[in-house]
Amino acid sequence: MIGNGMAGMRTIEELLKLAPDAYDITIFGAEPFGNYNRIMLSPVLAGEKTIDEIMINDLQWYKNNNITLHANKTVVEINRAEKKVIAEDGTFESYDRLLIATGSNPFMLPVPGGKLSGVIGFRDIHDVDTMLDSAKTKKKAVVIGAGLLGLEAANGLKLQGMDVTVVHIMDCLMERQLDKPAAKLLQSELESRGIKFLLDARTQEILGDDHVSRIRFADGAEIEADLVVMAVGIRPNFELAQKADLECDRGIVVSETMLSSDPSVYSVGECVQFEEHTYGLVAPLFDMAKVCASQLADIDHKHYVHTETSTKLKVSGVDLFSAGIINGNEATDDIIFQDPANGVYKKIILQDHKIVGVVLYGDTFDGSWYFELLREATDVSEMRSHLLFGQAHLGDSGHGGVNDAIAAMSDDAEICGCNGVTKGCVTKAIIEKGLQTLDEVRAHTKASASCGSCTGLVEQVLAHTLGADYSDSPSEKPVCKCTDYTHDDVRKAITEQKLTSLKALMNAMEWRTVDGCASCRPALNYYLIAAWPGKVEDDYRSRFINERIHANIQKDGTYSVIPRIWGGVTTADELRTIADVADKYEIPTVKITGGQRIDLLGVKKEDLPAVWGDLNKGGMISGHAYSKGLRTVKTCVGQEWCRFGTQKSMQMGIELEKMTWGSWTPAKFKIAVSGCPRNCAEATIKDFGVVAVDSGWELHIAGNGGIKVRVTDLLCKVKTEDEVREYCGAFMQVYREEAHYLERTAHWVERIGLPYVKQRIVEDSEGRKALNKRFLESQVYAQVDPWAERASEGVDAHEFVALTQINKQQ
Amino acid sequence: MSDWIKVGKLSDIPRQGSRIINSDEGDIALFRTIDDEVFALRDECPHEKGPLSQGIIHGKNVTCPLHSWVISLEDGCALPPDEGCATHFPVKLEDKNVFLKY
């Protein structure tokens, strides 16, 4: 590999993960160091970090991984005919595969005096050293260029005690990332820190004898300068490749496999050109690294896709975030919030109900959320009126109450309520273990590894701790680590290739593991049975214990048993049966659940078949309280008893439960029916909620009373009970066929948008009928009481008895 | 002194499944992988004592049903970054009979 920078080294690290022994690796690096985090040079200049702190891999790391590093050796020639690279000092190495990762060079203005001593770029450790040295002896620094890098350099030099002037050719700062109001706020913030600005200034000449002393502008004005930092942009460094006759344009031209015009030569990083794009931020470079490593390792051959990137400024105390387009046009709507006194400015640019651009200044807490909405092209019309107030103000997916910036949170503040992880723990793990991604933080700290509701918060801590340029994982997430395919890819393959077994599916999609893992197997099994009801055998070895054993495992290894009580309406006989079972099997706890059922807790596993048998005898079947499927239909008493009731909600609830019991869905599914808009059955926080009104029934969908309360969306109003059942079946079926495994209706509908559901269920009456028909067909196979099979037919008997008994003293 | 004890036949254990052996010192979980290898661990996750026998078996690992720790069947130890080990018992197969050293 030529180049020892971030993109190249990330490729090597990815390659070592995939195929540690595939290559003998040799690296040429022009700098005399191991590999360091170039994006953290600004904090080094600002005195917030040391060089040691930004080293990614020291020289020992190369030794440990059997990599030959030619540090401090600049490659001068690539001989493609002989497959050799030659360095300045004559060192040469031959290659089978060559990776060019030469990065970029700072663009130096071609003005007279540009080569004087004291005129530098801002690119590497050497430049930072020069700046730090100058700060000790010299006074006046001029930074040319008010982009990201220029402003970071100016801030650092100011903090090192220099008198800093920023010269910029445009009339406002960071014009590619900020609109004018945000740029003005940024300028006044930096001015208040003592940085001076000369805008609309065209540098004409740099003056000095051998060392720079002054700069002259096009209008004839001059200012003094002991140090000039050019930060007007970067240029892909592809001279070497060009000399070797590789196809180059504005960079080394690469295909979606990161291959150059020579099939043995790959290239990644800022030196490449992909389609019409060249790159200067780290996130896409890391994507390229992944792609290139998979190609080099000859494992699952990823392809590179250009994605949007976001920008943050690494100047402590300045919060700035931008992504997408910056200035609106006729086709866009701008939503703007301005509070100049508090230094807050937010602008969201919308086109066709989707976010296409974001500029945030002063409060960037929701930056990564907006960016996610932008990249995923989420329809935001439903949340438009709240959008600017941030994720926390959306009852459904925010972290209620967390309005303060992460920076203001104390280290003791709890980030993950499930696992009791504090902000301090997360920050410490990120720094000490060098964590870069959400998955790594999950693995090491357990934060956000359980219910996931704090994911956004953990990402914020990650972003805050890593500084700028942190970019969260791609929007299209693979099913698990066994594959790079997404949930949607898998579903498509199952139907298109008519795959009907786990084995065939894993073969067809080149699973990396023999038999998957605990994440993918249950998902794949679900997708198979959802696609081919009655035709595919349900693989119990790929189901979580609760669904395998048809009871809920408790912390001590005992189980809880919940018999079905239709619509929450029971009888004295049923209650007597439950009481007798509780006595007979000495069940320690009997509890009424939130779904109006009775829970028998603390049942020993070996007692389960007998407990079920007794409940069966009393006329009760499994309540499926353990399943990713229909759980309960909760009802209020309705018109049958209530003086306000408008319809028979108990009867409706019982009918819906008789229709939907036993069904399996991507995640649990709850229904409620209320007899009037007072809504005593809390139908508006259920997956499917029915609220009776005088003229018929309101149908609500995608509510959730769990981790984050989400109130349902109104789907439509219908007149008859038949329609309630038809819409319910159709909604469950489209959810079953299209949502991702473990994705609740709330998240699914947020992902695909309410208009889509309305189109499928409300507007397309033929489609609705067909969906409902498919639902009812698959119910034929699903409505078998799993308890009866085990209590009286001996299904899975091995689950409930020990194989044998052995003793030490025999 | 520990001895090889015959505990059952290979076919007693479902593929990608497990069986429990009661012992005077607590339950032992016997696992059979997709490749018909058999392993035995104390039926207690090193984390919070979850019954490993009830987990999903994949490759030569089992995922604990309580908090999804992944435990290697080969030595009983949690995969990094989790830490801790369940007691591991040697197992051998002879003529499709399963022997456990206990």
Side-chain angles (χ1 to χ4, degrees), chain B residues 8-62:
Chain B
K9 298 193 292 293
L10 179 64
S11 56
D12 291 333
I13 318 166
R15 193 172 278 161
Q16 291 174 300
S18 72
R19 291 298 298 273
I20 292 197
I21 301 170
N22 298 136
S23 89
D24 49 355
E25 290 176 357
D27 286 352
I28 296 168
L30 208 54
F31 301 92
R32 174 174 169 189
T33 69
I34 193 164
D35 298 322
D36 289 345
E37 285 188 87
V38 178
F39 297 97
L41 302 178
R42 176 73 62 202
D43 196 16
E44 273 186 5
C45 179
H47 177 217
E48 295 202 342
K49 301 189 175 178
L52 295 173
S53 56
Q54 311 300 296
I56 289 180
I57 293 137
H58 47 99
K60 293 180 190 179
N61 301 302
V62 60

Side-chain angles (χ1 to χ4, degrees), chain A residues 28-206:
Chain A
F28 283 90
E31 291 185 70
F33 313 100
N35 169 241
Y36 61 91
N37 188 343
R38 200 180 295 280
I39 55 182
M40 298 309 274
L41 284 174
S42 294
V44 172
L45 179 63
E48 291 160 2
K49 288 214 181 316
T50 65
I51 294 285
D52 284 347
E53 282 172 329
I54 68 165
M55 278 291 162
I56 300 173
N57 296 311
D58 58 16
L59 296 174
Q60 189 60 41
W61 180 90
Y62 292 82
K63 284 202 187 103
N64 294 347
N65 286 286
N66 294 321
I67 294 172
T68 312
L69 173 66
H70 294 302
N72 215 1
K73 287 188 185 180
T74 308
V75 172
V76 290
E77 189 191 335
I78 303 169
N79 185 330
R80 292 204 284 136
E82 293 174 30
K83 293 198 168 181
K84 272 197 325 196
V85 295
I86 301 146
E88 212 165 19
D89 66 349
T91 311
F92 68 91
E93 295 276 358
S94 61
Y95 64 83
D96 297 315
R97 291 282 180 281
L98 178 65
L99 176 59
I100 305 180
T102 43
S104 62
N105 290 325
F107 178 61
M108 304 303 277
L109 288 177
V111 293
K115 299 245 152 76
L116 284 173
S117 146
V119 180
I120 60 169
F122 181 20
R123 184 64 194 160
D124 54 28
I125 290 183
H126 181 70
D127 295 331
V128 172
D129 283 343
T130 309
M131 285 191 243
L132 292 174
D133 281 347
S134 303
K136 284 182 199 142
T137 53
K138 307 268 174 32
K139 275 224 169 88
K140 293 191 181 297
V142 174
V143 176
I144 304 180
L148 208 57
L149 210 55
L151 296 180
E152 289 178 6
N155 180 62
L157 290 167
K158 182 72 208 169
L159 287 172
Q160 296 298 337
M162 292 192 83
D163 176 3
V164 182
T165 304
V166 176
V167 172
H168 196 45
I169 196 162
M170 307 296 287
D171 64 350
C172 63
L173 319 185
M174 291 180 68
E175 72 283 351
R176 283 166 64 187
Q177 289 93 13
L178 296 184
D179 62 349
K180 285 204 173 162
K184 281 272 175 277
L185 281 171
L186 175 62
Q187 186 178 343
S188 48
E189 167 65 30
L190 294 174
E191 279 171 347
S192 77
R193 296 176 180 210
I195 297 172
K196 287 177 255 175
F197 288 92
L198 266 181
L199 301 181
D200 267 330
R202 181 179 294 274
T203 306
Q204 194 173 52
E205 192 175 353
I206 299 174

Side-chain angles (χ1 to χ4, degrees), chain A residues 211-474:
Chain A
H211 193 90
V212 54
S213 62
R214 278 168 304 134
I215 295 182
R216 181 184 297 149
F217 300 101
D219 62 0
E222 289 184 14
I223 56 169
E224 287 179 56
D226 304 317
L227 172 73
V228 173
V229 179
M230 294 237 196
V232 290
I234 56 170
R235 288 287 156 91
N237 178 12
F238 58 93
E239 197 188 342
L240 199 58
Q242 208 164 26
K243 265 184 9 200
D245 280 333
L246 290 166
E247 187 190 344
C248 296
D249 178 14
R250 288 183 297 129
I252 302 171
V253 175
V254 292
S255 69
E256 62 199 12
T257 58
M258 308 319 297
L259 204 56
S260 73
S261 55
D262 177 336
S264 357
V265 181
Y266 290 84
S267 185
V268 293
E270 291 176 347
C271 55
V272 309
Q273 177 181 347
F274 175 73
E275 292 166 352
E276 73 277 19
H277 311 283
T278 58
Y279 296 86
L281 292 169
V282 78
L285 308 192
F286 285 174
D287 286 344
M288 289 181 198
K290 273 208 167 109
V291 171
C292 188
S294 83
Q295 296 290 343
L296 282 167
D298 205 11
I299 290 175
D300 88 84
H301 309 105
K302 289 182 209 268
H303 287 189
Y304 182 72
V305 186
H306 176 77
T307 51
E308 291 291 337
T309 49
S310 63
T311 306
K312 287 184 202 172
L313 187 69
K314 286 181 294 296
V315 171
S316 299
V318 176
D319 290 321
L320 184 159
F321 179 95
S322 86
I325 68 168
I326 302 312
N327 292 304
N329 54 43
E330 286 144 16
T332 62
D333 285 341
D334 297 355
I335 311 182
I336 294 171
F337 174 90
Q338 253 174 318
D339 182 358
N342 283 322
V344 176
Y345 174 81
K346 303 184 192 184
K347 177 163 90 172
I348 294 173
I349 302 166
L350 297 176
Q351 186 168 0
D352 299 333
H353 308 299
K354 288 165 190 157
I355 298 181
V356 292
V358 186
V359 179
L360 303 176
Y361 184 88
D363 174 5
T364 56
F365 191 72
D366 286 295
S368 54
W369 180 55
Y370 294 134
F371 187 46
E372 191 182 322
L373 295 173
L374 182 151
R375 276 207 305 198
E376 295 185 354
T378 309
D379 186 323
V380 295
S381 42
E382 291 293 316
M383 44 178 141
R384 184 171 169 145
S385 59
H386 309 290
L387 204 54
L388 271 183
F389 301 108
Q391 195 173 16
H393 282 259
L394 290 178
D396 42 35
S397 50
H399 333 97
V402 185
N403 294 317
D404 297 335
I406 287 287
M409 285 176 78
S410 77
D411 277 353
D412 297 334
E414 191 172 71
I415 297 273
C416 172
C418 294
N419 295 302
V421 187
T422 60
K423 179 194 166 197
C425 294
V426 176
T427 318
K428 191 161 164 253
I430 292 169
I431 295 168
E432 288 182 359
K433 307 220 158 92
L435 310 182
Q436 299 252 343
T437 66
L438 178 63
D439 278 347
E440 288 170 350
V441 174
R442 276 189 185 139
H444 283 271
T445 66
K446 299 293 173 207
S448 117
S450 296
C451 80
S453 70
C454 60
T455 301
L457 213 47
V458 174
E459 284 177 326
Q460 296 284 352
V461 176
L462 195 56
H464 179 72
T465 311
L466 289 180
D469 290 316
Y470 160 77
S471 172
D472 53 9
S473 42

Side-chain angles (χ1 to χ4, degrees), chain A residues 443-444 446 515-518 521-522 541 543 545 548 553 555 559 605 798 801-808, chain B residues 7 12 14-17 19-24 30 34 54-59 63 65-66 81-82 100 102:
Chain A
H444 283 271
K446 299 293 173 207
D515 57 347
C517 70
R521 274 226 320 267
R541 309 256 65 96
R543 283 194 174 268
I545 181 63
R548 193 159 77 228
I553 195 165
K555 62 186 286 187
Y559 290 83
K605 192 180 181 192
H798 64 83
V801 286
L803 183 58
T804 181
Q805 162 85 39
I806 55 175
N807 294 312
K808 281 270 186 216
Chain B
V7 290
D12 291 333
R15 193 172 278 161
Q16 291 174 300
R19 291 298 298 273
I20 292 197
I21 301 170
N22 298 136
S23 89
D24 49 355
L30 208 54
I34 193 164
Q54 311 300 296
I56 289 180
I57 293 137
H58 47 99
T63 295
L66 292 195
D82 293 327
L100 179 88
Y102 185 71

